[in-house]
């Protein structure tokens, strides 16, 4: 049986406390009204000197230009109802726009970290279900590690669902389509494109879908683990066969719910834009993150003297999946980007223009972290058997896919007001601490070896 070390437990609690303090600071430091925004913009424009002053003024000028372009597009959608806006009204509208962006920043940071860790555990659950249905002979010695990671799913689901409800109750403005008056033709906030999608993008239907998806995923996690534990004490393979059947059913539910989830929880931040590859792209991102977390936790447990039957061949196979899914993610990234960029349709290409112009470093940095680095490090077979190499590659992959989620969400919520500062780092620390605490607590609840699995002997002696 695994024992949760006091040092690791203390470390996880410290992370959560620091995270909560930073998250609180992020909300408290956000501007409350347009007067505070005006002071912030004035400080940005005049608070520096020399080249720094020039860069700040240029950033302010770019923000104004970006806002004017967005307003021009908005006016076009409203059919030219308002031809001209007075200078004072335009300035006030601009300040309100920036106010919403800065108020969205701590909410967006919380949302990105929350959904990243939630979907990471979902990636592990999907990988576990695939192993069950494939009747894989190499992986049963890792099943309890996978079950430990998926134990985060209930806690992560509850927190995420609460955030979604708060979005619907207008505690924030991160989802544009949830704004007041966007579907009302008589409102100055009316958006014809969003109104055309209101049959699907409306809060009651949206939150019901979220509840069904989260509940379905957690029900499978509960019963698959229950059957796996029951199999340890059984005299036949009845519970294993039950797990095979429910895993097959879950994978059908998962691929449908995952696609809709990607549209609902991420793509709808940019409700004017859509991509038929997007659901696959999101899946590849959290799937490789989940497999990477299996590898890192397995290596940690092995270093502490647990998982005696795990050998370098098991680590090698996990590293192969890390490498292969990283290449798959890059294929989807390039396919989505290249086709939209080459077609150059204004309604579509705006999505990437925004990210290249305003998020240049994280946008292309994610490609380096999620493709170039894993490719160069993990393409060598011998390197896949070296724990320190897998750990180094794994840390970069996890950071890279956090940045990937950051790129998908932040442009639609904070525009060019992004910065990886206290709210972003604190949100990561809180959910990382919660993840460590929940996962390693779950690992203490049962033996780390699924001893009555029909393929356990094959897995014990897995070598090549």
């Amino acid at each position: 049986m695994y024992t949760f070390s006091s040092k690791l437990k203390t470390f996880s609690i410290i992370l959560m406390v620091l995270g909560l303090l930073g998250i609180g600071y992020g909300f408290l430091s956000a501007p409350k009204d347009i007067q505070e925004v005006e002071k912030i913009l004035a400080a940005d424009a005049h608070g520096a000197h020399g080249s720094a002053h020039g860069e700040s003024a240029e950033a302010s000028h770019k923000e104004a230009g970006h806002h004017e372009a967005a307003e021009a597009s908005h006016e076009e959608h409203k059919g030219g109802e308002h031809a001209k806006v007075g200078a004072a009204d335009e300035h006030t509208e601009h300040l309100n726009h920036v106010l919403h962006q800065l108020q969205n920043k701590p909410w967006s940071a919380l949302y990105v970290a929350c959904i990243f860790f939630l979907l990471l555990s979902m990636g592990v659950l999907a990988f576990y279900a695939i192993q069950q249905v494939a009747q894989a002979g190499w992986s049963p010695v890792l099943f309890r590690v996978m079950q430990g990671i998926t134990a985060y799913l209930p806690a992560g689901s509850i927190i995420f669902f609460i955030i979604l409800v708060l979005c619907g109750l207008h505690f924030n403005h991160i989802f544009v389509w949830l704004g007041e008056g966007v579907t009302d033709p008589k409102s100055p906030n009316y958006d014809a494109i969003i109104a055309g999608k209101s049959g699907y993008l409306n809060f009651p239907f949206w939150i019901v879908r979220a509840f069904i998806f989260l509940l379905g995923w957690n029900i499978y996690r509960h019963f698959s683990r229950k059957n796996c534990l029951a199999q340890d004490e059984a005299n036949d393979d009845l519970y294993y066969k039950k797990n095979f059947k429910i895993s097959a059913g879950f994978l059908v539910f998962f691929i449908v719910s995952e696609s809709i989830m990607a549209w609902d929880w991420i793509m709808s931040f940019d409700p004017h834009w859509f991509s038929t590859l997007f659901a696959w792209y999101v899946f590849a991102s959290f799937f490789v993150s989940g497999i990477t977390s299996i590898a890192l936790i397995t290596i940690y447990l092995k270093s502490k003297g647990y998982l005696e039957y795990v050998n370098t061949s098991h680590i090698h196979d996990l590293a192969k999946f890390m490498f292969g899914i990283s290449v798959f993610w890059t294929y989807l990234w390039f396919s989505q980007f290249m086709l939209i960029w080459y077609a150059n349709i204004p309604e579509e290409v705006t999505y990437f223009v925004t990210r290249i112009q305003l998020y240049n470093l994280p946008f292309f940095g994610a490609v380096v972290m999620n493709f170039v680095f894993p490719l160069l490090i993990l393409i060598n077979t011998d390197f896949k058997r070296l724990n320190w190499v897998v750990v180094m590659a794994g840390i970069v992959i996890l950071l890279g896919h956090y940045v990937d989620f950051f790129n998908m969400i932040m442009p639609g919520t904070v525009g060019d007001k992004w910065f990886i500062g206290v709210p972003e780092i604190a949100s990561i620390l809180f959910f990382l601490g919660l993840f460590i605490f929940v996962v390693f607590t779950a690992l203490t609840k049962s033996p780390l070896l699924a001893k009555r699995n029909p393929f356990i002997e094959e897995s014990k002696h897995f070598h090549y």
Side-chain angles (χ1 to χ4, degrees):
M1 294 285 287
Y2 169 70
T3 302
F4 193 179
S5 72
S6 58
K7 288 183 179 179
L8 186 59
K9 184 181 290 186
T10 303
F11 177 67
S12 67
I13 293 171
I14 290 172
L15 288 179
M16 285 190 281
V17 172
L18 290 175
L20 285 174
L21 291 174
I23 291 168
Y25 170 80
F27 280 102
L28 291 174
S29 61
K32 307 299 185 294
D33 50 44
I34 60 175
Q35 286 73 29
E36 290 187 37
V37 172
E38 204 154 21
K39 291 178 183 178
I40 292 171
L41 293 179
D44 287 344
H46 304 293
H49 56 81
S51 60
H53 173 78
E55 290 170 2
S56 177
E58 182 183 353
S60 178
H61 177 71
K62 283 183 177 179
E63 159 58 23
H66 171 70
H67 176 69
E68 289 165 7
E71 290 304 314
S73 174
H74 190 53
E75 289 295 326
E76 182 179 338
H77 287 309
K78 290 194 294 182
E81 289 180 2
H82 305 286
K84 293 182 179 180
V85 181
D89 291 340
E90 186 176 354
H91 181 63
T92 302
E93 194 172 351
H94 170 62
L95 291 176
N96 279 316
H97 175 72
V98 177
L99 175 64
H100 287 169
Q101 287 182 327
L102 294 176
Q103 288 179 336
N104 282 344
K105 194 171 181 295
W107 280 104
S108 301
L110 187 68
Y111 189 96
V112 172
C114 183
I115 196 172
F116 176 73
F117 281 96
L118 171 68
L119 293 184
L120 182 152
S121 64
M122 267 307 302
V124 175
L125 188 64
F127 187 71
Y128 171 77
I130 290 169
Q131 300 304 306
Q132 294 277 2
V133 172
Q135 297 183 325
W138 70 277
S139 56
V141 293
L142 302 173
F143 278 0
R144 293 292 156 79
V145 176
M146 300 181 199
Q147 290 167 1
I149 297 172
T150 59
Y152 175 80
L153 195 60
S157 298
I158 292 170
I159 296 172
F160 185 70
F161 189 76
I162 291 172
I163 293 175
L164 294 184
V165 171
L166 294 177
C167 291
L169 296 177
H170 304 294
F171 277 73
N172 56 62
H173 306 91
I174 61 176
F175 286 98
V176 176
W177 58 270
L178 281 172
E180 295 181 6
V182 292
T183 60
D184 182 5
K186 298 178 182 178
S187 171
N189 296 326
Y190 177 67
D191 189 308
I193 294 178
I194 295 177
K197 299 180 179 183
S198 61
Y200 178 81
L201 279 182
N202 62 81
F203 179 68
F205 190 26
W206 180 70
I207 203 68
V208 167
R209 290 196 300 270
F211 180 79
I212 292 171
F213 298 160
L214 293 171
L215 182 64
W217 299 343
N218 279 281
I219 287 174
Y220 169 72
R221 187 209 71 83
H222 172 76
F223 283 104
S224 64
R225 183 176 186 275
K226 183 180 178 182
N227 288 335
C228 189
L229 292 175
Q231 182 63 40
D232 281 0
E233 309 302 325
N235 297 318
D236 54 26
D237 294 335
L238 176 63
Y239 290 105
Y240 174 80
K241 292 175 181 177
K242 283 184 177 180
N243 251 1
F244 177 86
K245 292 177 181 177
I246 66 171
S247 296
F250 165 74
L251 287 175
V252 175
F253 174 76
F254 169 75
I255 201 63
V256 175
S257 59
E258 186 278 330
S259 297
I260 300 172
M261 169 278 295
W263 307 334
D264 285 1
W265 301 345
I266 302 177
M267 193 163 69
S268 70
F269 282 114
D270 298 274
H272 288 191
W273 179 83
F274 59 89
S275 167
T276 54
L277 276 177
F278 192 77
W280 281 107
Y281 176 79
V282 174
F283 167 72
S285 188
F286 72 75
F287 192 54
V288 71
S289 299
I291 295 170
T292 300
S293 68
I294 297 171
L296 295 181
I297 292 174
T298 298
I299 289 171
Y300 170 80
L301 292 173
K302 185 72 176 173
S303 71
K304 296 298 181 181
Y306 300 98
L307 301 177
E308 60 178 310
Y309 294 106
V310 172
N311 56 54
T312 56
S313 294
H314 295 103
I315 302 301
H316 181 272
D317 268 22
L318 289 171
K320 280 199 296 187
F321 277 107
M322 290 164 59
F323 172 79
I325 306 300
S326 293
V327 174
F328 178 58
W329 174 88
T330 310
Y331 158 72
L332 293 170
W333 182 94
F334 181 73
S335 298
Q336 184 172 254
F337 172 72
M338 181 271 294
L339 289 172
I340 291 175
W341 191 260
Y342 185 74
N344 202 26
I345 300 172
E347 293 83 358
E348 294 182 356
V349 78
T350 301
Y351 180 86
F352 288 106
V353 170
T354 301
R355 282 154 178 79
I356 291 173
Q357 289 183 350
L358 304 180
Y359 291 74
N360 190 272
L361 179 61
F363 183 71
F364 290 108
V367 179
V368 175
M369 297 172 76
N370 297 331
F371 172 62
V372 178
F373 189 83
L375 180 74
L376 296 177
I377 296 297
L378 295 177
I379 198 169
N380 187 295
T381 297
D382 293 333
F383 281 2
K384 294 188 185 78
R385 295 179 181 273
L386 298 177
N387 287 348
W388 70 270
V389 172
V390 176
V391 170
M392 178 175 63
I395 291 172
V396 173
I397 288 172
L398 289 178
L399 289 174
H401 284 285
Y402 168 82
V403 173
D404 186 33
F405 274 81
F406 186 90
N407 292 334
M408 287 190 277
I409 292 169
M410 285 292 187
T413 61
V414 303
D416 66 346
K417 297 302 178 186
W418 72 275
F419 181 74
I420 299 182
V422 173
E424 289 77 13
I425 294 173
S427 297
I428 295 172
L429 293 181
F430 172 75
F431 285 104
L432 176 60
L434 181 65
F435 181 81
I436 292 172
F437 185 85
V438 172
V439 169
F440 284 91
T441 299
L443 289 172
T444 65
K445 303 297 184 183
S446 59
L448 293 181
L449 185 68
K451 59 184 180 181
R452 275 282 291 116
N453 184 285
F455 295 96
I456 196 65
E457 289 302 319
E458 180 180 344
S459 186
K460 285 180 181 179
H461 301 94
F462 177 64
H463 288 282
Y464 63 90

